[in-house]
Amino acid sequence: MGGGSPTPFFLIFSLILVSTHFINVVFVDASSSSFTPADSYLINCGSSDSAVLDDGRTFKSDPQSSSYLSTEEDILASITSFPNNVASSSSSSSSSSLLYLTARIFDHESMYRFLISKPGPHWIRLHFYPLPHPSYNLTSATFTVTTDDIALLHGFSVQDTTKMVFKEYLINMTSDKLTLKFSPMKNSVAFINAIEVLSSPDDLIADSAAAVSPLGDFNGLTKYAFEVSYRLNVGGPIVTPKNDSLWRTWLSDGPFMAFPEGAKNVSVPTDMIEYPKGGATPLIAPYSVYATADQMADSETSDPNFNLTWVMSVDPSFSYLIRLHFCDIVSKGLNELYFNVYINGITGASNFDLSTLTSGLAIPYYKDFVLNASAITNGSVIVQVGPTSNIQSSMPNAILNGLEVMKMSNSAGSLDGLFSSDGTYRGVKSRHSSAMKVAAGVGLALGATALLLLLVGTIRWHKRPKGYEKQKTFSSWLLPLNSSQCSFMSNKSKSTTFSSIANSGLNLGRFFTLNEIREATKNFDEKSVVGVGGFGKVYLGEEEDGTKLAIKRGNPSSSQGINEFQTEIQLLSKLRHRHLVSLIGYCDEQSEMILVYEYMANGPLRDHLYGSSLPPLSWRQRLEICIGSARGLHYLHTGSTQGIIHRDVKTTNILLDESFLAKVSDFGLSKAGPASLDQTHVSTAVKGSFGYLDPEYFRRQQLTEKSDVYSFGVVLFEVLCARPALDPALPREQVNLAEWAKQQNAKGSIQKIVDPIIAGTISQESLVKYVEAAEKCLAEYGVDRPSMGDVLWNLEYALQLQGAASASGDGAAKDYGDGKNTKIDQPGMSRDANDEMVVDMSDDSGVVVASPMFLENFQAR
């Protein structure tokens, strides 16, 4: 969270800029109750003028708010104000953008001090946008923001100049003052565009909630600080601060729906909502939130008892407070609606009957849950509502009106990492007494270890093999005497005994010492980072002979790191293929989890499609990359008796070498396929990346090879259109690329969404065949999708059609190339004894695949 990558909630203002059609239809809450905060500090930082927003609030200028800022001369000297015309690119119809036209810069530790007239919960809202400046590069600014007791941001930066970042916190103030401190990192600066400090209603967050894992009650919430990660108006449009008594923003839930086909929006006039005398109030959530909802739709599925599902990416090292808002606006009578609530696959409430809880219809109700960090898998919070099977109702149904996800502060008093507000690292106990105990324990452990090693060494000496003197290292002496004792430690241990499986017969490659890894990465220099994933950072390393390496270092705070580490090793030690990234070696010293791979010079496929300044790929290059990726996945599915399901196919996991040869990478989530022929799937918890997930797998939690096929179909359209699989900044119908592409293809308008850079170079025949393959991959049911072998055949044929068009001088393909090596009998394509096209997979997999699924289309040509 602290690396400057804002969660979707923090992109709300950029969403507002491109989604003004939502704003125009937001319900107006004329009857909503008002709230007057006891403390209200609104600052338009760096500006000589006040900013008046359309919600009625006025943000004071710098001169008007100078009394809140530290008056030390050295700090004041470093403050710089931007002229209003600098950020013309960020202007919009939304008055909120007025807050991003100026900023205040600090090159020293600087503080705002506010008097608190009424202790209790307070909102702290921070606005960031890296404006251009002649003397400071704010996109490289890295800094920390803290209060007296809470670390809000650590090592924070905003590198994307297309996004305005908004951070929102709720902190329980116990003193009569609040200090907001901005601390630049070494050789850097800090900046802020606008600050909000506002009192919050005392009863906004209750002291207790329902604990999800383990099940029970969670008490003491008032002792925690919160960061708002997501606030969604389910089934409705964006609600802006103008329509919320606490000046909150509620995003539309569409981008976070895992199965949008199964959801149906429903709404009623706001005057139908009747708040109860106790419980929910307009301050908990406005009328417009409770007046809209998502309910189950006729999704044309064989199983009507599916779940409505929302998936939100979070930092898995924190616990979260999850608030669900309900209001039965769909039932015609009492006791008609029964459903279950699930949080990350755990039942939070069963046989939920709103009419019994509220004694009526259209009456707001909300429920709080606490999700422990240990229950967060794959870095996601997953909220589901679905019909119960225990109660027979006229029609299975479930609803949700609103959803809030708030990060809870950790034991270090931080909302971003393990550094406390005073800068102390709290990953381990820092008290003197604790340190003494630890030191004593370490001393005893070292002594015991020394005796044990001496004993093991003596035994190994007497049992030494012949020729042991020829071995290059002494480390093998320390391996277990019996390989059957080799195992990975449990997740709780946060460590692994990887060396203990070195004698298991797996080809694990070279063992790197930690010193070798440090030398190769210049002591894990941040400048050497070439990628960041859920497992950890990837560094570019270089050996003494100049050989470049890709070094993936596991994040010790990741609850899933050991599992991914183990899975990746077990798979890559068995798999070797031209289109799979090769494992070179490993390092497991000092509880590190480090894997060393061949270096892929051209990086992830996604970087060559959008979001970077790299030269664009030609259509032929894109086809060849898709073909190479399909070969790698086909080998995974068929190269062993049981088969391997990748489970996280996406453009960032397809890497390109110096020759743009595609290789599939990142097997941390991979799963072995069905163990026998009579099994059709593997039942497992849902894992993967939102936007690429197979909806059938998500609904039924049944994993098959066709789940990879679905994800690959998304990749194919991503390659064709050069846009992300999910883009919340687009209009709602365009957010999900897979759905948008299918809609456009059904209308015969697929050419309109093709990447303009290559649109004029693609032959019509090649485009039709390519889109046909991609759309078949995205079939609703796995049985209707092709195998990877079929997809591979179709892509090879699309390449052949493009080559033929180029060779014949087709105008649509004139920029494609010179037509060389694109004749019918190209490498990888041949005809069998029946004169039918086959794809030759002998380049490593030893498989030949004929494709009857697309054969009728080929013969028709």
Side-chain angles (χ1 to χ4, degrees):
M1 297 290 290
S5 300
T7 64
F9 177 77
F10 302 143
L11 307 184
I12 60 174
F13 289 107
S14 55
L15 279 171
I16 291 174
L17 303 186
V18 299
S19 306
T20 53
H21 63 291
F22 283 151
I23 299 173
N24 293 334
V25 296
V26 166
F27 295 102
V28 178
D29 297 342
S31 59
S32 64
S33 63
S34 61
F35 174 74
T36 302
D39 298 309
S40 179
Y41 298 98
L42 307 175
I43 304 176
N44 187 19
C45 301
S47 175
S48 58
D49 300 315
S50 299
V52 181
L53 306 190
D54 61 2
D55 55 35
R57 292 182 297 162
T58 299
F59 283 70
K60 293 182 178 181
S61 66
D62 262 350
Q64 294 172 317
S65 56
S66 60
S67 61
Y68 306 137
L69 189 63
S70 173
T71 57
E72 296 178 25
E73 293 182 0
D74 60 332
I75 296 176
L76 286 174
S78 67
I79 297 170
T80 304
S81 176
F82 294 98
N84 284 350
N85 61 0
V86 172
S88 58
S89 61
S90 62
S91 61
S92 74
S93 60
S94 171
S95 67
S96 299
S97 64
L98 295 175
L99 303 178
Y100 297 92
L101 298 177
T102 59
R104 189 178 274 269
I105 301 176
F106 311 98
D107 62 2
H108 292 76
E109 184 177 273
S110 306
M111 292 170 283
Y112 283 89
R113 293 189 176 95
F114 305 99
L115 293 178
I116 302 301
S117 61
K118 181 183 177 182
H122 279 65
W123 295 110
I124 297 178
R125 295 167 178 153
L126 307 176
H127 302 257
F128 301 97
Y129 178 69
L131 290 160
H133 189 274
S135 303
Y136 301 98
N137 180 9
L138 297 190
T139 58
S140 63
T142 305
F143 53 96
T144 294
V145 182
T146 62
T147 68
D148 303 87
D149 304 310
I150 302 296
L152 304 180
L153 295 166
H154 182 80
F156 173 73
S157 62
V158 185
Q159 300 177 357
D160 190 347
T161 58
T162 66
K163 298 293 190 295
M164 292 174 283
V165 179
F166 174 59
K167 300 281 189 178
E168 184 175 26
Y169 307 91
L170 185 62
I171 295 178
N172 191 24
M173 296 299 304
T174 58
S175 66
D176 59 357
K177 67 179 180 65
L178 167 65
T179 301
L180 194 59
K181 184 188 300 183
F182 294 81
S183 305
M185 295 297 186
K186 187 177 181 181
N187 299 323
S188 187
V189 296
F191 71 93
I192 183 68
N193 299 76
I195 298 173
E196 302 177 45
V197 176
L198 299 162
S199 297
S200 170
D202 291 337
D203 56 355
L204 188 65
I205 302 292
D207 190 56
S208 62
V212 176
S213 176
L215 295 174
D217 294 327
F218 187 96
N219 298 312
L221 282 175
T222 55
K223 299 177 182 178
Y224 289 82
F226 300 92
E227 177 183 351
V228 179
S229 299
Y230 299 89
R231 185 185 289 121
L232 307 180
N233 181 24
V234 177
I238 292 176
V239 178
T240 64
K242 182 179 180 179
N243 302 103
D244 185 287
S245 299
L246 301 183
W247 302 283
R248 296 167 295 191
T249 298
W250 301 72
L251 297 181
S252 176
D253 70 306
F256 310 101
M257 282 289 297
F259 180 46
E261 301 88 348
K264 179 181 179 181
N265 300 146
V266 59
S267 63
V268 298
T270 54
D271 57 11
M272 288 185 59
I273 304 302
E274 298 182 9
Y275 284 90
K277 293 182 179 179
T281 69
L283 298 181
I284 295 296
Y287 283 82
S288 49
V289 170
Y290 288 117
T292 62
D294 272 343
Q295 67 171 337
M296 295 174 62
D298 182 7
S299 62
E300 300 180 356
T301 60
S302 58
D303 180 8
N305 293 318
F306 59 89
N307 296 326
L308 297 178
T309 304
W310 294 263
V311 180
M312 292 143 289
S313 298
V314 296
D315 185 339
S317 60
F318 285 83
S319 298
Y320 289 82
L321 174 64
I322 301 171
R323 172 168 290 182
L324 306 184
H325 299 271
F326 302 98
C327 188
D328 189 351
I329 58 175
V330 300
S331 298
K332 297 180 179 180
L334 299 178
N335 306 114
E336 291 183 358
L337 180 64
Y338 297 88
F339 57 93
N340 296 335
V341 177
Y342 308 94
I343 309 292
N344 277 40
I346 304 170
T347 302
S350 59
N351 298 332
F352 210 55
D353 177 16
L354 289 174
S355 59
T356 297
L357 293 169
T358 62
S359 302
L361 300 177
I363 298 177
Y365 180 84
Y366 71 96
K367 189 170 181 63
D368 291 341
F369 300 91
V370 170
L371 180 65
N372 190 278
S374 61
I376 298 177
T377 58
N378 199 31
S380 297
V381 167
I382 304 172
V383 174
Q384 296 174 291
V385 293
T388 177
S389 59
N390 299 329
I391 306 273
Q392 295 297 325
S393 59
S394 58
M395 182 68 67
N397 201 3
I399 67 167
L400 185 64
N401 301 71
L403 170 60
E404 296 179 80
V405 177
M406 290 175 273
K407 182 197 293 186
M408 300 168 58
S409 56
N410 58 20
S411 58
S414 173
L415 286 163
D416 190 2
L418 291 172
F419 284 89
S420 62
S421 59
D422 62 2
T424 303
Y425 181 72
R426 298 299 177 90
V428 295
K429 293 183 178 180
S430 57
R431 294 182 180 180
H432 180 72
S433 58
S434 298
M436 292 297 290
K437 293 178 181 179
V438 171
V442 169
L444 290 174
L446 289 176
T449 302
L451 290 175
L452 180 61
L453 290 177
L454 181 61
L455 177 62
V456 170
T458 302
I459 296 174
R460 291 303 298 266
W461 174 264
H462 291 291
K463 295 187 176 183
R464 64 189 184 279
K466 294 182 178 180
Y468 77 95
E469 296 88 349
K470 298 179 182 179
Q471 296 182 12
K472 296 182 179 180
T473 66
F474 186 75
S475 60
S476 60
W477 277 50
L478 304 182
L479 296 177
L481 296 175
N482 187 348
S483 61
S484 64
Q485 299 171 353
C486 306
S487 65
F488 282 89
M489 301 294 287
S490 67
N491 285 351
K492 296 180 180 179
S493 70
K494 295 288 183 181
S495 63
T496 160
T497 56
F498 180 75
S499 295
S500 64
I501 63 171
N503 286 345
S504 62
L506 299 178
N507 180 20
L508 301 178
R510 171 185 167 187
F511 172 77
F512 289 81
T513 66
L514 186 56
N515 285 337
E516 288 177 321
I517 296 293
R518 290 188 182 278
E519 290 178 5
T521 61
K522 298 180 180 179
N523 198 23
F524 298 109
D525 187 356
E526 289 298 311
K527 295 180 181 179
S528 300
V529 176
V530 294
V532 180
F535 179 80
K537 295 181 179 180
V538 181
Y539 297 83
L540 170 60
E542 186 171 344
E543 295 191 274
E544 293 181 358
D545 62 0
T547 302
K548 292 185 177 180
L549 306 170
I551 299 173
K552 182 191 287 188
R553 185 188 191 191
N555 181 359
S557 65
S558 172
S559 60
Q560 63 204 35
I562 294 175
N563 290 334
E564 293 190 16
F565 189 61
Q566 180 180 5
T567 301
E568 191 116 353
I569 298 229
Q570 290 177 337
L571 285 179
L572 290 181
S573 61
K574 300 174 184 177
L575 302 175
R576 286 293 184 270
H577 191 274
R578 187 185 183 203
H579 293 287
L580 300 182
V581 172
S582 297
L583 176 69
I584 293 177
Y586 65 94
C587 172
D588 73 326
E589 288 185 355
Q590 300 180 22
S591 299
E592 290 277 1
M593 296 181 293
I594 299 175
L595 298 175
V596 182
Y597 305 88
E598 60 176 319
Y599 175 62
M600 303 294 285
N602 279 306
L605 169 59
R606 178 178 295 183
D607 290 351
H608 297 268
L609 298 175
Y610 53 85
S612 74
S613 58
L614 296 174
L617 299 170
S618 69
W619 176 235
R620 177 168 187 161
Q621 284 178 307
R622 300 187 197 200
L623 278 173
E624 290 174 341
I625 289 168
C626 291
I627 290 169
S629 306
R631 284 180 174 173
L633 290 171
H634 180 58
Y635 171 74
L636 277 182
H637 293 174
T638 61
S640 62
T641 303
Q642 196 169 347
I644 302 296
I645 304 171
H646 187 280
R647 210 160 44 150
D648 199 17
V649 177
K650 54 185 178 181
T651 49
T652 52
N653 286 341
I654 296 173
L655 305 181
L656 308 176
D657 70 5
E658 65 279 358
S659 302
F660 287 91
L661 181 75
K663 300 192 180 190
V664 180
S665 70
D666 202 342
F667 302 90
L669 299 182
S670 297
K671 192 81 172 177
S676 60
L677 293 176
D678 58 348
Q679 289 182 310
T680 60
H681 64 271
V682 177
S683 296
T684 181
V686 176
K687 291 187 178 182
S689 296
F690 195 38
Y692 300 88
L693 274 176
D694 169 16
E696 185 178 49
Y697 167 40
F698 206 101
R699 291 194 306 272
R700 306 178 64 185
Q701 298 189 9
Q702 295 179 350
L703 181 68
T704 69
E705 295 170 356
K706 299 300 182 68
S707 299
D708 280 353
V709 173
Y710 181 93
S711 301
F712 191 69
V714 179
V715 168
L716 292 179
F717 276 124
E718 198 172 347
V719 168
L720 180 67
C721 304
R723 55 145 288 188
L726 288 179
D727 190 347
L730 294 174
R732 183 168 183 172
E733 68 275 7
Q734 300 180 26
V735 168
N736 187 303
L737 173 60
E739 297 304 318
W740 177 239
K742 289 194 293 184
Q743 292 174 16
Q744 291 301 104
N745 192 42
K747 296 177 182 178
S749 304
I750 192 68
Q751 295 89 344
K752 295 181 179 180
I753 65 173
V754 174
D755 183 2
I757 294 175
I758 60 169
T761 67
I762 308 176
S763 74
Q764 182 64 21
E765 294 80 3
S766 179
L767 178 64
V768 168
K769 180 56 60 179
Y770 181 92
V771 172
E772 177 188 340
E775 189 163 34
K776 284 183 179 292
C777 291
L778 299 176
E780 177 69 19
Y781 303 105
V783 294
D784 297 327
R785 299 172 198 152
S787 66
M788 281 309 304
D790 292 326
V791 178
L792 175 58
W793 185 94
N794 221 35
L795 293 175
E796 288 276 13
Y797 185 31
L799 178 61
Q800 172 200 338
L801 292 172
Q802 182 68 35
S806 178
S808 64
D810 187 338
K814 63 183 179 180
D815 296 327
Y816 174 76
D818 58 8
K820 294 180 181 179
N821 297 324
T822 54
K823 55 188 174 63
I824 296 296
D825 297 325
Q826 61 179 305
M829 297 290 291
S830 60
R831 294 184 180 274
D832 63 9
N834 298 319
D835 199 36
E836 294 179 350
M837 293 295 295
V838 296
V839 181
D840 184 6
M841 294 293 294
S842 59
D843 59 319
D844 276 322
S845 61
V847 180
V848 176
V849 182
S851 180
M853 187 165 193
F854 299 109
L855 190 57
E856 69 278 5
N857 298 320
F858 175 79
Q859 292 174 335
R861 297 188 180 277

